[in-house]
């Protein structure tokens, strides 16, 4: 049980006072002190039986009061007994740099909260002790076996599928023929030997600098039965290739389903390990949080690396849908070489079912799959008020029916909470714009990529700040999502290993390793999540969490 004490005096101070003190006197029963303030993100707690006298000094940089030097002191803690703690002449001291503050007035708000229990804590959660050998990430050579085209004249390659409408009864099948358009027919059916149904694909092609793509085919298979195994074939003659996929169960609140999570994959040796580990799992669909091929890391955004990536991922993406999120490496915006159309390779190669959810662009959209409603956002498309993405998301969240799809999942590329010194606060403006909606609609989890490491947060929110009130720190909020960064697929840019210290209190677990994750929905109330690091050629479950659904079972789970 939480309750607020009135024994802490609140004051405003001006910078012409050299030292400032707040004096606390009071009797605490079987409780601990929790001082919450805008500068050091710390919790100070004293146990009623172990401490006769305590002295602690904590230094911290103030995000609310820039360039302030602040510290707290607890010089006297006396009269500990089995029943209570007496605080006498115990001070909180705020020391300022007068030359930085001038003569302005600053308000410092402290809240005193009593929480039953015992802990002395200043850092956040767990920073994994596992230390991966920091070797360079190297792209596999062009002659690697995973990049080799299939045999046969003009054989279809880079085959991949994604959901074709909002409810899962359609599938988009895509492939490339390298030399000529060839057949644009997709044959499909419930038996490998009886592919009586067919649809015709649209064919497109694009140029990028001095590169010309193959012939890119996209076909929509509509009216599919739920929870059914389908076989499909593309190509013709000696180059005919056959694959299969299973449609999802019909949407419903207690439908179990398992998603895989991969981000920032690239095409390195580490990428190959990540994909191999994922293939050994039992997941049904990949939620991909952006940054595909990293072709833009090559001179002139060498688009042959889009082709190799398509052949590399075919072994999974041709058999189960990958749900696409755009990242910064999909922009391919390079006006210096005459390429000023953002997302040109990605939009030609990887379609999304955006129109079925009322979106106006393929970069933000939603799907329903089993018991989940999945919203995909675009970090690098406009999201300010009145923009198409803003207007769409506002309407989409209001339409979510949690009695039918209880699990509300959001995918975005740039993380909103990130305690690594890589891409630090790049997602901040989007967080400020949308986080209040995440809390209002009780989103279960937000998955992101971009930072090439792993991190999971507690359920926290930072939505009270209004510039003047000073309430600028994340606080626990059981209506808020868990934020998970999974940008650790293995790409050429390597691991993000430099973390901010101390670990923020909102961060539950973090580790600089490559890997993938699994989100296994059990029913309307529970889901089990695991993160699997790439360790010594094995996928080791290094982090896990039982999720309690925010709609049907909104109890504390983080």
């Amino acid at each position: 049980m939480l309750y607020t004490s009135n024994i802490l005096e609140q004051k405003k101070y001006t910078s012409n006072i050299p030292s400032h003190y707040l004096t606390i006197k009071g009797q605490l029963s079987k409780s601990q002190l929790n001082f919450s303030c805008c500068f050091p993100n710390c919790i100070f707690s004293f146990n009623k039986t172990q401490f006769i006298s305590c002295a602690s000094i904590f230094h911290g940089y103030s995000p609310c009061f820039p360039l302030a030097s602040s510290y707290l002191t607890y010089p006297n803690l006396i009269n500990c007994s089995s029943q209570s703690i007496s605080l006498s002449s115990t001070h909180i001291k705020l020391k300022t740099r007068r030359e930085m503050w001038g003569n302005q007035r600053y308000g410092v708000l402290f809240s005193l909260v009593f929480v039953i229990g015992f802990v002395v804590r200043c850092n956040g959660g767990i920073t994994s002790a596992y230390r991966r050998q920091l070797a360079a990430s190297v792209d596999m050579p062009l002659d690697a076996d995973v990049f080799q085209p299939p045999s046969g004249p003009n054989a279809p390659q880079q085959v991949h599928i994604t959901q074709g409408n909002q409810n899962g009864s359609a599938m988009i099948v895509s492939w490339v023929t390298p030399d000529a358009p060839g057949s644009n027919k997709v044959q499909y059916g419930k038996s490998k030997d009886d592919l009586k149904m067919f649809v015709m694909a649209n064919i497109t092609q694009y140029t990028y600098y001095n590169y010309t793509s193959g012939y890119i085919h996209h076909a929509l298979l509509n009216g599919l039965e739920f929870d059914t195994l389908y076989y499909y074939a593309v190509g013709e003659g000696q180059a005919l290739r056959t694959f299969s996929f299973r449609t999802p169960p019909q949407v419903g609140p207690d439908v179990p389903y398992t998603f895989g999570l991969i981000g920032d994959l690239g095409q390195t040796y580490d990428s190959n390990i990540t994909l191999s580990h994922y293939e050994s799992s039992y997941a049904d669909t990949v939620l991909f949080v952006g940054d595909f091929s990293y072709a833009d890391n090559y001179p002139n955004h060498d688009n042959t690396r889009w082709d190799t990536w398509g052949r590399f991922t075919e072994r999974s993406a041709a058999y189960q849908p990958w749900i696409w999120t755009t990242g910064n490496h999909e922009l391919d915006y390079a006006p210096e070489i005459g390429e000023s159309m953002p997302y040109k390779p990605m939009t030609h190669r990887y379609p999304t079912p955006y129109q079925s959810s009322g979106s106006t662009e393929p970069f933000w959209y939603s799907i329903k799959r089993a018991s989940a409603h999945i919203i995909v956002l675009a970090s690098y498309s406009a999201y300010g008020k009145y923009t198409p993405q803003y207007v769409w998301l506002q309407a989409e969240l209001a339409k979510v029916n949690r009695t039918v799809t209880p699990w509300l999942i959001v995918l975005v590329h740039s993380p909103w909470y990130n305690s690594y010194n890589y891409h630090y606060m790049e997602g901040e403006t989007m967080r400020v714009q949308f986080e209040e909606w995440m809390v209002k609609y009780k989103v279960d989890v937000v998955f992101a990529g971009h930072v090439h490491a792993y991190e999971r947060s507690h359920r926290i929110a930072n939505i009270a700040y209004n510039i003047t009130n000073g309430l600028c720190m994340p606080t626990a909020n059981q209506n808020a999502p868990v934020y998970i960064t999974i940008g650790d697929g293995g790409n050429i840019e390597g691991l993000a290993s430099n973390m901010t210290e101390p670990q923020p209190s909102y961060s539950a677990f973090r580790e600089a390793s490559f890997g993938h994750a699994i989100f296994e929905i059990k029913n309307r109330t529970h889901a089990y999540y695991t993160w699997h690091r790439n360790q010594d050629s094995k996928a080791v479950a290094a982090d896990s969490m039982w999720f309690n659904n925010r709609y049907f079972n909104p109890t504390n789970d983080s």
Side-chain angles (χ1 to χ4, degrees):
M1 178 178 180
L2 299 178
Y3 52 97
T4 303
S5 170
N6 60 5
I7 65 173
L8 181 60
E9 187 177 5
Q10 300 176 12
K11 294 182 178 180
K12 284 189 175 181
Y13 299 102
T14 58
S15 62
N16 58 3
I17 302 175
S19 298
H20 316 308
Y21 291 85
L22 293 179
T23 300
I24 305 171
K25 295 181 180 180
Q27 197 83 5
L28 313 183
S29 298
K30 298 181 180 179
S31 304
Q32 66 174 218
L33 282 174
N34 175 347
F35 290 96
S36 175
C37 55
C38 261
F39 40 94
N41 187 20
C42 303
I43 295 175
F44 311 101
S45 308
F46 304 101
N47 179 267
K48 59 185 173 54
T49 58
Q50 288 192 2
F51 292 92
I52 302 303
S53 65
C54 299
S56 304
I57 298 177
F58 299 87
H59 294 266
Y61 166 72
S62 168
C64 299
F65 308 111
L67 303 178
S69 173
S70 56
Y71 62 84
L72 306 183
T73 63
Y74 293 83
N76 298 305
L77 181 63
I78 61 174
N79 296 336
C80 294
S81 70
S82 60
Q83 296 299 319
S84 67
I85 301 172
S86 295
L87 297 178
S88 176
S89 300
T90 298
H91 304 305
I92 302 176
K93 179 177 179 180
L94 171 65
K95 180 179 180 181
T96 68
R97 293 181 182 172
R98 293 169 55 189
E99 69 275 17
M100 300 297 184
W101 283 33
N103 292 317
Q104 301 179 31
R105 293 177 177 270
Y106 290 84
V108 182
L109 176 64
F110 294 91
S111 63
L112 182 60
V113 180
F114 292 175
V115 186
I116 304 301
F118 157 65
V119 66
V120 179
R121 177 164 59 88
C122 190
N123 293 341
I126 298 172
T127 296
S128 172
Y130 176 75
R131 293 293 177 266
R132 180 184 183 276
Q133 183 177 355
L134 292 179
S137 295
V138 179
D139 271 351
M140 293 176 284
L142 293 175
D143 61 355
D145 59 350
V146 296
F147 294 155
Q148 296 313 295
S151 60
N154 200 36
Q157 58 175 262
Q158 306 174 50
V159 181
H160 56 273
I161 59 176
T162 194
Q163 186 159 315
N165 63 3
Q166 195 177 39
N167 71 0
S169 64
M171 197 75 77
I172 301 172
V173 177
S174 303
W175 73 96
V176 177
T177 50
D179 305 320
S183 172
N184 66 334
K185 179 187 291 187
V186 180
Q187 305 171 69
Y188 66 103
K190 299 178 185 178
S191 170
K192 185 185 302 185
D193 302 318
D194 190 19
L195 305 180
K196 290 182 177 180
M197 295 178 282
F198 69 92
V199 296
M200 308 305 289
N202 295 320
I203 302 176
T204 187
Q205 199 174 23
Y206 75 94
T207 60
Y208 192 98
Y209 189 55
N210 60 356
Y211 167 90
T212 300
S213 74
Y215 298 88
I216 303 169
H217 304 243
H218 302 298
L220 178 64
L221 281 58
N222 221 331
L224 302 175
E225 297 178 21
F226 289 109
D227 200 14
T228 300
L229 180 64
Y230 283 92
Y231 296 88
Y232 69 98
V234 293
E236 56 188 343
Q238 294 179 337
L240 186 71
R241 303 185 67 202
T242 302
F243 305 89
S244 65
F245 63 82
R246 179 172 289 277
T247 54
Q250 189 164 1
V251 170
D254 285 307
V255 180
Y257 202 77
T258 303
F259 295 98
L261 281 303
I262 300 176
D264 300 70
L265 184 59
Q267 45 194 303
T268 69
Y269 292 99
D270 292 302
S271 312
N272 194 33
I273 293 172
T274 298
L275 188 55
S276 297
H277 288 169
Y278 170 72
E279 287 177 291
S280 67
S281 76
Y282 45 84
D284 304 301
T285 295
V286 171
L287 304 180
F288 191 82
V289 293
D291 283 359
F292 297 33
S293 70
Y294 287 79
D296 62 340
N297 274 21
Y298 284 83
N300 301 317
H301 296 229
D302 184 1
N303 272 224
T304 59
R305 280 293 179 174
W306 276 100
D307 292 318
T308 54
W309 195 81
R311 294 195 289 269
F312 163 55
T313 55
E314 180 188 272
R315 70 199 207 214
S316 171
Y319 295 92
Q320 59 177 238
W322 286 37
I323 308 305
W324 305 113
T325 309
T326 54
N328 55 300
H329 286 280
E330 282 71 73
L331 278 164
D332 281 300
Y333 177 69
E336 69 277 7
I337 57 173
E339 294 296 345
S340 56
M341 176 186 171
Y343 303 110
K344 183 193 277 188
M346 186 264 179
T347 52
H348 279 83
R349 294 171 180 270
Y350 293 95
T352 65
Y354 69 99
Q355 292 174 316
S356 66
S357 59
S359 172
T360 56
E361 297 286 344
F363 315 119
W364 60 88
Y365 61 97
S366 74
I367 63 167
K368 301 173 187 177
R369 202 161 182 89
S371 50
H373 192 120
I374 298 164
I375 292 176
V376 179
L377 299 179
S379 296
Y380 306 100
S381 298
Y383 48 77
K385 195 170 185 179
Y386 313 120
T387 61
Q389 184 171 197
Y390 179 100
V391 172
W392 175 85
L393 179 60
Q394 187 176 40
E396 181 66 20
L397 284 167
K399 291 188 295 186
V400 176
N401 185 348
R402 301 296 283 274
T403 65
V404 178
T405 51
W407 293 96
L408 184 51
I409 299 170
V410 172
L411 310 181
V412 67
H413 184 64
S414 188
W416 298 356
Y417 286 93
N418 164 34
S419 71
Y420 289 81
N421 287 316
Y422 298 83
H423 303 304
Y424 186 63
M425 293 186 72
E426 285 185 18
E428 183 67 4
T429 55
M430 194 180 218
R431 181 195 66 77
V432 171
Q433 194 70 267
F434 292 149
E435 185 180 19
E436 188 171 0
W437 293 352
M438 302 296 111
V439 176
K440 176 182 177 180
Y441 291 100
K442 299 182 179 181
V443 171
D444 290 290
V445 60
V446 175
F447 290 106
H450 200 38
V451 177
H452 303 160
Y454 173 74
E455 185 167 22
R456 173 176 57 85
S457 79
H458 296 293
R459 291 196 184 277
I460 41 90
N462 188 3
I463 57 177
Y465 184 56
N466 67 0
I467 299 180
T468 61
N469 63 12
L471 302 177
C472 58
M473 299 301 293
T475 58
N477 190 322
Q478 288 302 308
N479 290 330
V482 172
Y483 293 90
I484 295 177
T485 300
I486 189 80
D488 54 357
N491 68 82
I492 194 172
E493 294 178 350
L495 282 171
S497 56
N498 189 344
M499 305 174 185
T500 61
E501 297 294 349
Q503 184 175 1
S505 60
Y506 67 76
S507 176
F509 184 92
R510 60 184 184 176
E511 180 177 312
S513 291
F514 293 133
H516 74 279
I518 300 293
F519 191 80
E520 185 179 2
I521 296 173
K522 302 293 187 180
N523 50 38
R524 72 179 66 190
T525 60
H526 289 87
Y528 187 60
Y529 168 82
T530 51
W531 173 66
H532 303 259
R533 79 160 71 100
N534 298 348
Q535 178 181 339
D536 301 329
S537 76
K538 297 179 181 179
V540 176
D543 184 40
S544 63
M545 174 182 168
W546 274 102
F547 276 75
N548 296 336
N549 182 264
R550 293 301 88 190
Y551 183 82
F552 280 109
N553 186 27
T555 53
N556 191 338
D557 59 3
S558 71

